[in-house]
Amino acid sequence: MRGHFIRASAFGVAAALISFGAWAQTIKVAYIDPLSGPFANVGEQGLAEFRFAVDRINASGILGKQKLEVVPFDNKVSPQESLNQLKRVIDQNIRYITQGNSSAVAGALIEAVNRHNERNPGKEILYLNYAAVDPAFTNEKCSFWHFRFDANADMKMESLTTYMAGQKNIKKVYLLNQDYSFGQAVKKAAREMLARKRPDIQIVGDDLHPLGQVKDFAPYVAKIKQSGADSVITGNWGNDMSLLVKAGKDAGLDVAWYTYYAGGLGTPTAMGEAAAGKVKIIAEYHSNVANNKAAKWDAEYRKQAPKGNPDFYFLRGKIMWEMFAKAIAEAKSAEPKAVALALEGMKHQGDLGEVEMRKSDHQLIQPLYVLTLVKAAAKGGPKEARIDMEGSGLAPITDARMEGYTSATPSSCQMKRP
Amino acid sequence: MEFFLVQTLNGISYGLLLFMLSSGLTLVFSLMGVLNFAHASFYMLGAYFAYQISTKIGFWPALVVAPVLVGAIGMLIERWGLRQVHKHGHVAELLFTFGLAYLIEEAVHLVWGRSAVDYRVPPDLDGPLFTIFTSQYPIYRGFMMLVSVAMLVSVWLALTRTRIGLVIQAALTHPQTVEALGHNVPRVFMLVFGGGTALAGLAGVIGGNAFVTEPGMAASVGPIIFVIVVVGGMGSLAGAFIASLLIGCMQTFAVALDWNLVGGIKMSQLAPVLPYLLMVLLLIFRPTGLMGTREG
């Protein structure tokens, strides 16, 4: 018993010494996302991709002797738990955080980071957001300490509706969304933008349903059918997305689904071939995209991806880490303030074209794609549908590339700079 | 007219699925007095077993084998777990099944991972059954209704018309007498619990591919089946049947209605909350439920 204790504490001291020694060269980034509970798979995928990216960047030598390291913190997608984890991050003297799942969490973190930075000059925290898309974070709630690498919900809708405006066969659109902040934002943006770009399109239905509560979407599908809609716009994700598409297929509903998250982890598998040819997604990347300079990266990631999450999903994550490393190199400092100043306004040659971190609101402007899920080439689909998602037999192909300017919506941000 | 017919069919079929889910729970409760919190977890196990079996030998064998396996696991749990806990009363039983639900969920995580698995409707049952004007009605929904009704009939027959059914009913009220007549009462209870979990397993085989087979599926149906059992009357099979249909139709039609309620809230937004509202109201005005006799 005693022997154990002594050995354990000796080990602890040794470990502390080692980590202290390494500290000088290691720039730690806290990854605050769900690593247990119902969304753990989503959190684990991000973590796996980020570790892969960081290994590559460390090997590339862009940071000289310094190394990046991703340190996971489990927030269980709870804003409260995220704030507890942020305290631990601060205690461990980590100066960078990254988070993506849930805008509710992101909102809490932005506020907490702002407060911390005001009270602790010289010990600021910098927040790299890779997926929380509430438009407010780069508009009225914008912060110098927050950078967003994903197009926000309004920007995605801007690109999606620009694409839809060009589709002359769209006459009647139905809006079906989850009843919470994001779903309501999608609904509002879709109405506004369609009215501006194609006033002749009729909105024949507009429903909100509770988030994650609906088992049986058949009644909603019957309603969509009755409305005579030819297209449905939905911000649904997870089971709300897959159950909806499945119910549509069962009832023989012939509509095009315009979605944000039908490519989300597990959703292609759950939808199955019901989705083929009908489901469209707005995203910054898919594995079958043309002129893909990230193809090699994608293929190598797949070789060592965790079981159950085989796909490379976050191109914006790759872009984020590359720009972050570049900013540290340019600033010649790992101080968050210097890095933030180097990051804002930075232009970067991304794998699918140039991207820019807009200085005024810290929003990344990047090209987006409208893509359709089709049967994979191996299952008799088109030739370009080479790589399927999650082995589901569904593969993405490009409908249109939407250049960065199509989604570069103006921002109302009035940023306070230190 | 078309819309009304389709929605009615949707409501009935959803109701029948709810009945499949809750019948095992209400059976076990009425016959053993055990409120099984892990019931929905057996539903999930049924779905995962069926997925595993259907990838090896097909859906039809899975329809039989998966519920049997789930029932066997249920019996083992009764024999080596619940029976020991039983001595300490109902609260201990409740806590036991509560813990069991978490255990099963973690086991599913370990074996099948955290994402959805690709469990699909078999090709023979995939496609439209008939067309109402212009709307298709899927075969699988018809199949679901058929299985559910068959389940109701066979459970009812087994309980009232067979010898073992009579023994079960007798063991509930007069266990000593039944034991004195030479029946093994603990084994009867083991069979009942196994039967209840097998019914949940069967619902899983059918619900798993109609909806999505993923580790959250138990948690997502857990609350609604309790509502059905409470509304129907604790332990009443007929009550559960009526409550399932009622709730199925109520939710479906609430979605269809575009009535504006106070504050710009639409009726359709409230649809999924209605069963819980019904339960609360019923508990206030008729605490025994629709058909219940027992004090809950």
Side-chain angles (χ1 to χ4, degrees):
Chain A
M1 188 66 194
R2 212 187 140 97
H4 267 298
F5 176 73
I6 291 169
R7 224 178 307 156
S9 44
F11 180 75
V13 170
L17 283 174
I18 291 167
S19 61
F20 185 75
W23 180 72
Q25 286 108 19
T26 304
I27 302 161
K28 289 185 180 177
V29 180
Y31 176 81
I32 307 181
D33 256 318
L35 296 166
S36 67
F39 296 102
N41 54 355
V42 183
E44 276 167 8
Q45 172 161 31
L47 183 60
E49 291 197 15
F50 288 1
R51 284 192 160 144
F52 180 82
V54 162
D55 285 348
R56 300 277 148 142
I57 287 166
N58 288 342
S60 76
I62 178 176
L63 293 176
K65 274 188 177 169
Q66 299 179 97
K67 296 274 183 243
L68 292 177
E69 186 191 340
V70 188
V71 188
F73 289 85
D74 179 12
N75 72 355
K76 306 182 174 70
V77 241
S78 139
Q80 185 54 48
E81 189 61 28
S82 304
L83 296 182
N84 294 342
Q85 296 295 12
L86 182 64
K87 285 201 192 94
R88 285 185 55 211
V89 169
I90 294 167
D91 288 344
Q92 293 183 25
N93 220 355
I94 298 176
R95 309 287 299 279
Y96 296 94
I97 62 172
T98 181
Q99 179 271 348
N101 294 292
S102 167
S103 286
V105 168
L109 282 176
I110 289 176
E111 269 181 36
V113 165
N114 284 343
R115 208 175 318 126
H116 171 84
N117 291 356
E118 246 170 56
R119 292 178 188 169
N120 301 279
K123 289 189 166 185
E124 290 90 350
I125 303 266
L126 188 65
Y127 175 13
L128 308 168
N129 169 2
Y130 69 92
V133 294
D134 186 336
F137 303 152
T138 44
N139 283 288
E140 63 270 23
K141 286 189 193 158
C142 68
S143 159
F144 176 77
W145 304 106
H146 164 262
F147 286 85
R148 170 150 58 195
F149 292 83
D150 194 4
N152 73 39
D154 284 352
M155 296 165 69
K156 287 182 182 175
M157 186 55 78
E158 198 70 69
S159 286
L160 197 61
T161 48
T162 300
Y163 172 78
M164 289 176 80
Q167 304 298 305
K168 293 295 168 228
N169 54 348
I170 300 180
K171 304 263 187 272
K172 295 179 172 178
V173 171
Y174 199 103
L175 311 175
L176 183 64
N177 287 291
Q178 294 155 326
D179 197 358
Y180 79 117
S181 59
F182 170 66
Q184 286 163 358
V186 169
K187 159 193 154 114
K188 189 165 153 262
R191 271 187 177 275
E192 258 172 42
M193 292 173 190
L194 280 179
R196 172 153 47 88
K197 294 174 191 170
R198 274 283 300 278
D200 60 308
I201 288 183
Q202 266 180 285
I203 307 281
V204 291
D206 184 348
D207 264 320
L208 293 171
H209 65 78
L211 175 66
Q213 297 272 311
V214 181
K215 311 295 169 299
D216 185 12
F217 274 94
Y220 292 95
V221 165
K223 220 173 153 185
I224 294 171
K225 175 143 180 104
Q226 198 205 17
S227 74
D230 51 50
S231 306
V232 178
I233 297 179
T234 176
N236 281 15
W237 48 266
N239 284 342
D240 285 341
M241 184 70 240
S242 37
L243 288 174
L244 177 61
V245 171
K246 274 178 114 176
K249 183 222 163 205
D250 282 345
L253 179 67
D254 187 24
V255 295
W257 304 95
Y258 286 87
T259 75
Y260 281 57
Y261 295 123
L265 185 62
T267 312
T269 305
M271 290 190 299
E273 278 167 21
K278 305 217 174 226
V279 175
K280 295 176 187 296
I281 305 170
I282 178 86
E284 88 282 6
Y285 178 75
H286 66 86
S287 292
N288 299 319
V289 71
N291 307 319
N292 182 7
K293 296 206 183 78
K296 191 166 162 253
W297 178 290
D298 186 321
E300 280 169 13
Y301 174 76
R302 277 167 196 278
K303 278 183 208 149
Q304 51 89 67
K307 190 184 151 233
N309 304 357
D311 298 350
F312 175 66
Y313 186 75
F314 293 113
L315 180 72
R316 54 182 186 262
K318 177 174 189 278
I319 291 173
M320 175 174 93
W321 289 104
E322 286 170 353
M323 289 178 77
F324 178 53
K326 214 161 114 183
I328 296 171
E330 274 178 20
K332 298 193 179 67
S333 157
E335 270 303 303
K337 190 172 155 188
V339 173
L341 288 170
L343 205 50
E344 56 175 17
M346 180 188 279
K347 288 188 174 161
H348 175 69
Q349 204 52 49
D351 297 292
L352 295 171
E354 194 182 65
V355 300
E356 182 188 349
M357 181 50 78
R358 196 157 62 181
K359 191 171 178 179
S360 61
D361 59 347
H362 291 186
Q363 168 69 55
L364 190 74
I365 306 297
Q366 59 189 330
L368 295 174
Y369 290 84
V370 177
L371 53 102
T372 303
L373 297 182
V374 296
K375 267 191 197 169
K379 298 218 170 175
K383 216 169 61 215
E384 70 262 40
R386 282 174 302 117
I387 303 174
D388 71 347
M389 301 177 92
E390 308 173 347
S392 66
L394 278 179
I397 55 169
T398 305
D399 284 324
R401 175 183 159 104
M402 312 303 287
E403 296 299 336
Y405 62 81
T406 60
S407 60
T409 49
S411 166
S412 63
C413 170
Q414 292 176 322
M415 195 175 283
K416 273 197 278 175
R417 284 160 201 283
Chain B
M1 189 61 198
E2 172 186 351
F3 184 57
F4 180 78
L5 274 179
V6 171
Q7 291 295 41
T8 310
L9 276 173
N10 282 337
I12 293 174
S13 63
Y14 182 52
L16 286 171
L17 178 82
L18 291 178
F19 171 72
M20 250 196 288
L21 274 167
S22 50
S23 61
L25 181 67
T26 199
L27 259 185
V28 168
F29 183 75
S30 69
L31 298 173
M32 298 173 68
V34 176
L35 194 51
N36 183 7
F37 262 102
H39 190 74
S41 310
F42 290 104
Y43 161 73
M44 173 162 76
L45 274 186
Y48 273 99
F49 284 171
Y51 156 71
Q52 203 67 59
I53 296 165
S54 65
T55 54
K56 297 280 185 296
I57 50 175
F59 174 78
W60 297 106
L63 189 63
V64 181
V65 179
V68 170
L69 278 180
V70 174
I73 290 177
M75 281 196 255
L76 289 177
I77 287 171
E78 202 282 335
R79 175 67 188 82
W80 303 106
L82 208 52
R83 196 178 295 178
Q84 322 300 322
V85 180
H86 184 70
K87 299 174 201 122
H88 307 291
H90 285 321
V91 174
E93 282 173 347
L94 207 69
L95 292 175
F96 174 79
T97 59
F98 194 71
L100 191 63
Y102 282 95
L103 275 182
I104 294 177
E105 189 179 324
E106 280 309 313
V108 165
H109 280 163
L110 287 176
V111 179
W112 287 283
R114 292 176 184 275
S115 303
V117 296
D118 188 15
Y119 176 33
R120 291 189 187 173
V121 170
D124 326 355
L125 294 177
D126 201 11
L129 182 62
F130 52 81
T131 309
I132 313 165
F133 301 99
T134 60
S135 295
Q136 289 174 4
Y137 198 76
I139 305 178
Y140 203 70
R141 282 201 163 237
F143 176 68
M144 224 152 87
M145 290 160 84
L146 188 75
V147 173
S148 179
V149 172
M151 199 154 112
L152 172 73
V153 173
S154 49
V155 168
W156 181 75
L157 283 179
L159 279 182
T160 56
R161 294 286 184 275
T162 63
R163 219 181 135 68
I164 180 85
L166 295 177
V167 173
I168 290 172
Q169 295 209 26
L172 178 69
T173 47
H174 301 89
Q176 278 87 11
T177 322
V178 175
E179 212 148 34
L181 287 171
H183 296 288
N184 186 345
V185 171
R187 193 199 286 160
V188 168
F189 282 153
M190 188 172 88
L191 278 178
V192 169
F193 194 81
T197 50
L199 288 181
L202 180 60
V205 178
I206 295 187
N209 52 5
F211 302 115
V212 179
T213 302
E214 43 101 24
M217 68 190 285
S220 72
V221 298
I224 191 88
I225 60 177
F226 276 96
V227 171
I228 285 163
V229 171
V230 172
V231 169
M234 285 285 201
S236 161
L237 196 62
F241 187 71
I242 294 171
S244 305
L245 287 181
L246 184 70
I247 287 175
C249 290
M250 194 170 75
Q251 276 194 297
T252 304
F253 279 101
V255 167
L257 297 172
D258 268 328
W259 294 347
N260 271 309
L261 303 176
V262 271
I265 298 170
K266 284 204 286 185
M267 191 68 188
S268 54
Q269 274 173 274
L270 287 182
V273 189
L274 288 177
Y276 303 99
L277 186 69
L278 182 70
M279 178 174 82
V280 170
L281 289 178
L282 209 77
L283 282 175
I284 296 173
F285 296 108
R286 192 181 158 84
T288 52
L290 292 175
M291 306 279 280
T293 44
R294 198 185 254 272
E295 282 298 319

